[in-house]
């Protein structure tokens, strides 16, 4: 009402016979529960930055300031490709020389989790002609191609040659890191092509270290990573950057502590279950003490 400057919650009032009596034990303060104009943000303040994903809080912000229609970036068309004669679908029985596919399912799940939608899933056998035709069709139909397997130095690792024949410009092939050294990346115009190693741990590490950050940057956002404190001493020989899966727990002050999870090999994806991500350790350093702050990449 005109002239009022204070609000009292209805639960602090007793009403009887048309009379309201204050029941608040501490009384009231002038101006309480009045939300004054401009106290959250001033006129001209930016409320949402370009590239911000529109989840429930962001939609609430937009609607509260009268923005019922906004311009948004398009979701890239992504295809996830697994390669190899030895791979069979998850629900199929396996022969002694076969293994069930894991990379394409895991990659597609991570992409859906990051809002990419439902990527197309394709499996290619080790037939260079059929593989070339399939990859050519996928390059025409998608914006981002994520392949796994077939990029190392084996007899049936046809992908680097096929991508070159199809006009994909190689940016790099092989990275000084472990796991994931054979990774390949190139472009065809504005299309991105990531060819990840076939070992499951290597594929997931490269996906989260390179593919997902690239998609986030392409959408105008920022990659997801932070820092954590090592919960144990670590030592490695060689000059490769190391990606080590970790279990993250908070210390007494709430800071994240990363305890390394030892894996059998880069094919030991069972060892990734229960981890929260991996830490990145510089290849120019051979020893890391517990308590050292290092980059942390969440799954």
């Amino acid at each position: 009402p005109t002239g009022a400057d204070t609000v009292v919650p209805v639960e602090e009032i007793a009403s009887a016979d048309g009379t309201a009596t204050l029941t608040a034990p501490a009384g009231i303060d002038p101006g309480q529960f009045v939300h004054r104009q401009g106290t959250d943000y001033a006129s001209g303040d930016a409320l949402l930055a370009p590239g911000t994903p529109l989840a429930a809080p962001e939609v609430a912000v937009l609607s509260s300031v009268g923005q019922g229609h906004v311009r948004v970036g398009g979701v890239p068309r992504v295809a996830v490709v697994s390669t190899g004669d030895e791979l069979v679908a998850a629900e199929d029985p396996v022969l002694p020389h076969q293994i069930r596919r894991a990379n394409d399912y895991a990659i597609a799940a991570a992409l859906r989790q990051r809002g990419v939608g439902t990527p197309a899933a394709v499996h290619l056998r080790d037939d260079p002609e059929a593989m070339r035709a399939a990859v050519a069709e996928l390059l025409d139909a998608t914006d981002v191609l994520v392949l796994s397997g077939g990029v190392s130095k084996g007899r049936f690792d046809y992908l680097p040659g096929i991508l070159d024949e199809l006009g994909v410009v190689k940016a790099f092939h092989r990275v000084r890191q472990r796991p994931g050294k054979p990774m390949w990346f190139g472009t065809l115009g504005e299309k991105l092509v990531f060819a990840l190693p076939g070992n499951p741990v290597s594929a997931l590490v490269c996906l989260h270290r390179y593919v997902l950050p690239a998609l986030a940057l392409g959408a105008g956002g920022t990659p997801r990573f932070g820092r954590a404190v090592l919960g144990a001493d670590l030592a490695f020989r060689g000059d490769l950057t190391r990606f080590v899966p970790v279990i993250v727990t908070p210390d007494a002050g709430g800071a994240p502590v990363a305890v390394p999870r030892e894996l059998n090999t880069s094919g030991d994806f069972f060892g990734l279950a229960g981890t929260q991500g991996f830490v990145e350790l510089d290849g120019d350093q051979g020893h890391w003490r517990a308590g050292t702050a290092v980059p942390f990449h969440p799954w």
Side-chain angles (χ1 to χ4, degrees):
T2 302
D5 64 0
T6 300
V7 175
V8 178
V10 68
E11 61 267 24
E12 296 180 3
I13 293 175
S15 298
D17 300 326
T19 299
T21 303
L22 298 178
T23 61
I28 61 174
D29 297 316
Q32 71 178 15
F33 300 118
V34 174
H35 200 118
R36 299 195 178 277
Q37 184 175 3
T39 53
D40 287 334
Y41 294 93
S43 177
D45 285 350
L47 300 181
L48 297 174
T52 301
L54 298 185
E58 290 76 20
V59 171
V61 169
L62 291 170
S63 60
S64 69
V65 295
Q67 298 298 316
H69 298 275
V70 295
R71 294 184 63 186
V72 297
V75 176
R77 300 168 300 166
V78 181
V80 178
V81 181
S82 60
T83 66
D85 288 348
E86 75 280 11
L87 300 179
V88 298
E91 64 275 10
D92 291 347
V94 291
L95 298 175
H97 67 283
Q98 295 175 320
I99 56 176
R100 291 189 176 93
R101 286 156 45 192
N103 289 352
D104 51 340
Y105 295 105
I107 291 169
L111 290 169
R112 287 194 297 269
Q113 183 181 358
R114 301 298 176 89
V116 174
T118 304
V122 179
H123 176 67
L124 302 179
R125 298 182 60 84
D126 292 324
D127 179 331
E129 294 303 321
M131 186 178 289
R132 182 182 294 104
V135 171
E137 290 182 7
L138 289 169
L139 286 172
D140 287 338
T142 61
D143 304 305
V144 180
L145 194 56
V146 184
L147 307 107
S148 67
V151 293
S152 191
K153 296 182 178 180
R155 290 174 52 201
F156 301 104
D157 290 335
Y158 301 120
L159 274 178
I162 288 174
L163 292 170
D164 180 65
E165 292 172 6
L166 294 174
V168 181
V169 180
K170 179 181 70 175
F172 62 81
H173 185 194
R174 289 185 289 275
V175 184
R176 289 178 52 199
Q177 67 181 48
R178 181 174 294 174
K181 186 177 181 180
M183 179 178 163
W184 191 102
F185 170 70
T187 58
L188 180 63
E190 295 185 349
K191 299 176 183 289
L192 306 181
V193 180
F194 300 88
L196 313 183
N199 280 328
V201 177
S202 302
L204 281 182
V205 163
C206 288
L207 174 75
H208 286 81
R209 182 60 183 85
Y210 304 110
V211 181
L212 297 179
L215 295 179
L217 288 170
T222 56
R224 285 176 28 181
F225 72 94
R227 295 186 73 80
V229 172
L230 288 179
D233 293 346
L234 285 173
F236 297 105
R237 291 189 298 176
D239 60 352
L240 302 179
T241 294
R242 302 288 179 140
F243 298 126
V244 181
V246 292
I247 298 172
V248 179
T249 56
D251 64 10
V257 177
V259 179
R261 165 70 67 82
E262 185 176 353
L263 301 181
N264 185 29
T265 66
S266 58
D268 181 17
F269 52 93
F270 293 100
L272 297 182
T275 63
Q276 284 73 49
F278 56 92
V279 293
E280 181 173 337
L281 306 178
D282 192 339
D284 294 330
Q285 182 177 341
H287 296 80
W288 294 265
R289 298 289 186 185
T292 303
V294 294
F296 168 70
H297 303 270
W299 295 126

